[in-house]
Amino acid sequence: MQSTKSQHQTAALPHSSPRLLERLFKLSEHRTSIRTELLAGLTTFVTMAYIIFVNPNIMADAGVDHGAAFVATCIGAALGCFLMGLYANWPVGLAPGMGLNAFFTYTVVGEMGYSWQIALGAVFISGVLFMIMSLSRIREWLLNSIPMSLRFAMGAGVGLFLGLIGLKTAGIVVDSPATLLTMGSFGEPSALLAAVCFLMIAVLSHRNVFGAILVSMLTVTAIGWALGLVEYNGLVSMPPSLAPTWLAMDIAGALNVAMVSVILAFLFVNMFDTAGTLMGVAHRANLVNEDGKIENLSRALKADSSSSVVGAFVGCPPVTSYVESAAGVAAGGRTGLTAVTVGVLFLIAMFFAPLAGMIPAYATAGALIYVAMLMMSGLANIDWKDHTDTIPAIVTVVMMPLTFSIANGIALGFLTYATLKLLTGQRDKVSISLYVLCVIFIAKFAFL
């Protein structure tokens, strides 16, 4: 009876759906409807909308105009979603990557001293390399050559790095000449409200509250306004000018030997994060066929890699697929119409620049700390019985925040892995590509 009902609903879809949308997204084939896809798109957008407030604040710390960074975030995310939806027909939302934006600002610009224009040039180059890899077998070769332990460690390390930035921004952790780091004072409103924001997100997420991160950030902002810590500037206006970031990338400046590790860090973190996100969403969205192959995976990877290139043009750190897309899939999203809906909502969000400008750093910090906790969950997938796997993973995770550099964490982890495997008689577990990368990293530490 249930089967007959399902077949009847499926057969009725083409009649209820406009022919253009049916032809573009194959709604009936995926057993979905326009209403379901639109609701799924709204769900995905609300779960990842925090990026339109967080990313401009992080980019502003690199010297980028806040208004332009806000518009660039919305446009870069929208274009990425449109590419994913129209080309790959996947229900995945894209936006500037968390962790990658922190690496952009606090390591490449802040620690290494490069201009944000050169950092954007590195983003563009890494995006082009990702595109080339997605068009060839190089991507598969490189993905398979990097040990699983290091793949999970990179994600967790970026999370720990992001968490430290959030704690530092909030004033929960401060510098100390005696102990390097120490506890800040919760008597300071910023530290207390950041902690409140973090705990609120955690509680609401556990209770499956719709848009937990966004709701918590806006609530804490409202508390700050009530305490006189936030100035009300309105909610809606025409979008700020994109001119400060449009085509501002300095590609020539990024074509520097010293930038090799930066470009590789952007590339690896983006590539492995994308692969993990897309494969996870594919299984939840029933995009895996009877042979175990993922439908249009190659197109999805190409759409993702192209998004980083397009995002660099408008002034974004690497644009990547968001794991929050799983929320939209859980709401019934099965096709690219979900992603296109997310893209449209990002464009609409451009008119809320005053609201974005009001979000204080402590609200952003609370969200950063929470996202950091989620990113560290990858450590559970590491085989803790083999020390030649776990030690390099720990080195990668720990050295990212301690050196305040994702690139250094990756380099030290890879070098530790290769050394331990070689000295314990496991040479067969070190691939040729890993040897090449190790040589590059040794040259970086020796001469740069």
Side-chain angles (χ1 to χ4, degrees), residues 30 89-91 281-283 285-289 293-295 334:
H30 290 87
N89 197 25
W90 273 45
V281 171
H283 285 280
N286 299 322
L287 293 173
V288 183
N289 60 31
K293 294 183 179 180
I294 299 176
E295 177 185 333
R334 294 294 180 269

Side-chain angles (χ1 to χ4, degrees), residues 63-337:
V64 182
D65 178 82
H66 187 280
F70 169 75
V71 175
T73 300
C74 294
I75 293 178
L79 293 175
C81 291
F82 292 151
L83 279 170
M84 183 64 73
L86 296 172
Y87 179 67
N89 197 25
W90 273 45
V92 173
L94 294 90
M98 290 293 290
L100 289 169
N101 51 7
F103 175 59
F104 179 103
T105 293
Y106 302 110
T107 297
V108 183
V109 177
E111 188 74 16
M112 300 177 72
Y114 291 102
S115 68
W116 61 266
Q117 292 90 342
I118 290 178
L120 271 181
V123 170
F124 174 81
I125 294 171
S126 70
V128 170
L129 291 175
F130 193 8
M131 281 184 64
I132 293 172
M133 292 169 64
S134 297
L135 293 170
S136 66
R137 294 184 176 179
I138 299 176
R139 181 196 71 242
E140 185 178 350
W141 173 68
L142 193 56
L143 278 172
N144 292 334
S145 66
I146 305 299
M148 291 298 296
S149 59
L150 292 181
R151 297 187 208 180
F152 291 122
M154 279 190 279
V158 170
L160 195 58
F161 178 66
L162 203 60
L164 178 61
I165 290 169
L167 293 168
K168 178 176 177 289
T169 300
I172 295 174
V173 170
V174 296
D175 64 316
S176 167
T179 60
L180 189 63
L181 294 175
T182 189
M183 175 80 79
S185 171
F186 282 102
E188 294 294 326
S190 60
L192 182 60
L193 288 173
V196 169
C197 185
F198 163 69
L199 292 173
M200 187 180 298
I201 294 172
V203 171
L204 294 182
S205 296
H206 178 74
R207 294 181 175 277
N208 296 317
V209 173
F210 187 59
I213 296 179
L214 185 61
V215 169
S216 301
M217 289 180 65
L218 294 178
T219 300
V220 169
T221 299
I223 294 173
W225 172 72
L227 295 174
L229 303 174
V230 174
E231 183 178 350
Y232 179 75
N233 296 317
L235 295 177
V236 180
S237 71
M238 291 299 294
S241 172
L242 185 64
T245 58
W246 172 249
L247 296 180
M249 55 191 177
D250 184 354
I251 300 174
L255 292 173
N256 185 314
V257 177
M259 291 294 286
V260 170
S261 63
V262 171
I263 293 170
L264 289 177
F266 277 133
L267 176 63
F268 288 152
V269 174
N270 193 4
M271 181 171 61
F272 290 118
D273 184 52
T274 295
T277 298
L278 292 181
M279 294 181 76
V281 171
H283 285 280
R284 295 184 186 184
N286 299 322
L287 293 173
V288 183
N289 60 31
E290 296 177 355
D291 299 327
K293 294 183 179 180
I294 299 176
E295 177 185 333
N296 284 341
L297 177 60
S298 178
R299 285 196 168 207
L301 286 166
K302 291 172 186 175
D304 188 286
S305 59
S306 301
S307 298
S308 289
V309 176
V310 173
F313 280 98
V314 297
C316 281
V319 175
T320 187
S321 300
Y322 263 56
V323 71
E324 284 84 352
S325 301
V329 170
R334 294 294 180 269
T335 73
L337 182 54

Side-chain angles (χ1 to χ4, degrees), residues 392-409:
I394 293 170
V395 168
T396 302
V397 173
V398 171
M399 295 308 290
M400 281 189 190
L402 291 185
T403 63
F404 220 68
S405 170
I406 293 175
N408 285 340

Side-chain angles (χ1 to χ4, degrees), residues 50 98-99 159 162-163 198 201 213 324 366-376:
Y50 65 87
M98 290 293 290
L162 203 60
F198 163 69
I201 294 172
I213 296 179
E324 284 84 352
L368 287 178
I369 297 168
Y370 177 75
V371 172
M373 303 292 182
L374 297 184
M375 294 178 70
M376 291 182 65

